[in-house]
Amino acid sequence: MKVFLGGARGSWPVSGGDQVKYGGDTFALLAEGADGTQVLVDAGSGLRNLLERLRPGATLFFTHTHLDHLIGLPLLAGEAWPRQLVSPRGGLPDILARVFSPPVWPVALPAAETPVPREPLTIGGLRLSWREVPHPDGCLACRVDEPATGAAVVVATDIEWQAMSPDAQESFADFARAADLLVFDAHFKPEEYAAHKGWGHSTWADALDAARRCGATQLWLMHHAPERTDAELDDMAARAAAEFPGAVFARAGVGREILHE
Ligand SMILES: [Zn+2]
Ligand SMILES: [Zn+2]
């Protein structure tokens, strides 16, 4: 399985001279199986960096529908429009109709299947599962497994780790057990969290805790706060990597093959 990251920024897209290295596009991730199956997770503005790889017939899974996770969706209209838009939380057709309708957006979105699965989904050679995590309006963490190779990636874009009880954290760790790559919310610095309780996000130290608890070997920290500069992210990345060698502050445009160890 290969994983490509289109955008790692949180909340809203940014651009500027000191926000280049890590990119300003919001979250979109593409998991691609060895058999060519493509599963997109979320549709932030970072979708634009995935368009070249994307083929017709992909599945798009929504962790939730906050704007930063769907603002890139109109980009897909045309050849790249997904075969199915999956939201186990339901309500997707109504939500998209509210957002993408005149005068908010002038182009009607093409039709797609919008399944509301209750059980894990098998899509080609990939298996998709999910669980609720604490975040305002709710959010799903998702797991993409490739049974043929044993590779697994777990994505928790918007999650307030410290709002979870020890049991809930342990249940998440079971869900994410032995992931080869964990992609996790690192919106805040540890020293910022006290003033932002209830905002629905984690700190980079929380992400390290989650990675250790689930036994992930590689960790991509993401949902970078919009105001965060490259220099600040470099500093946070160095602090995180000193504590967890597999920790990387994710950058838009990176891709890697996920090998099961
Ligand atoms: Zn978000
Ligand atoms: Zn959100």
Side-chain angles (χ1 to χ4, degrees):
M1 175 165 48
K2 293 176 180 163
V3 172
F4 302 92
L5 186 66
R9 193 66 59 167
S11 303
W12 52 83
V14 295
S15 73
D18 55 2
Q19 294 177 313
V20 172
K21 179 174 171 183
Y22 294 89
D25 281 309
T26 61
F27 183 74
L29 179 143
L30 175 64
E32 191 175 285
D35 67 349
T37 300
Q38 292 191 321
V39 173
L40 282 165
V41 180
D42 288 347
S45 66
L47 270 184
R48 71 195 182 102
N49 301 314
L50 301 172
L51 283 179
E52 274 189 10
R53 287 211 68 87
L54 207 56
R55 292 186 300 275
T59 292
L60 169 56
F61 178 90
F62 280 99
T63 62
H64 65 317
T65 50
H66 281 163
L67 274 178
D68 50 326
H69 297 258
L70 65 77
I71 197 169
L73 191 56
L75 276 169
L76 294 184
E79 279 280 290
W81 190 248
R83 182 173 62 82
Q84 54 179 354
L85 307 175
V86 180
S87 172
R89 306 177 68 229
L92 197 56
D94 288 344
I95 294 164
L96 295 182
R98 280 163 63 193
V99 176
F100 297 102
S101 63
V104 179
W105 187 250
V107 180
L109 290 182
E113 299 166 29
T114 52
V116 184
R118 299 284 171 225
E119 301 288 332
L121 274 181
T122 297
I123 305 158
L126 300 179
R127 182 177 182 273
L128 193 55
S129 53
W130 53 86
R131 56 159 290 139
E132 282 281 348
V133 295
H135 185 65
D137 304 323
C139 185
L140 300 173
C142 72
R143 176 176 180 127
V144 184
D145 284 280
E146 184 171 46
T149 62
V153 53
V154 172
V155 179
T157 65
D158 296 54
I159 176 173
E160 187 164 350
W161 184 248
Q162 293 188 46
M164 296 166 77
S165 68
D167 282 354
Q169 290 179 346
E170 199 49 38
S171 167
F172 177 91
D174 284 340
F175 169 76
R177 188 72 65 206
D180 302 292
L181 172 66
L182 177 65
V183 180
F184 202 94
D185 185 341
H187 191 96
F188 294 120
K189 299 176 184 178
E191 57 271 31
E192 293 169 340
Y193 180 72
H196 298 92
K197 272 187 188 162
W199 285 40
H201 291 291
S202 296
T203 73
W204 62 260
D206 296 332
L208 266 53
D209 184 33
R212 286 194 192 96
R213 298 266 293 274
C214 71
T217 47
Q218 298 294 317
L219 171 65
W220 283 0
L221 300 130
M222 48 73 66
H223 212 282
H224 310 319
E227 66 274 15
R228 209 73 83 196
T229 64
D230 287 341
E232 262 184 298
L233 287 165
D234 278 345
D235 179 59
M236 292 161 75
R239 290 162 71 192
E243 291 186 29
F244 188 99
V248 171
F249 267 67
R251 307 177 191 187
V254 298
R256 56 159 292 193
E257 182 154 19
I258 307 299
L259 297 171
H260 185 55
E261 290 165 15

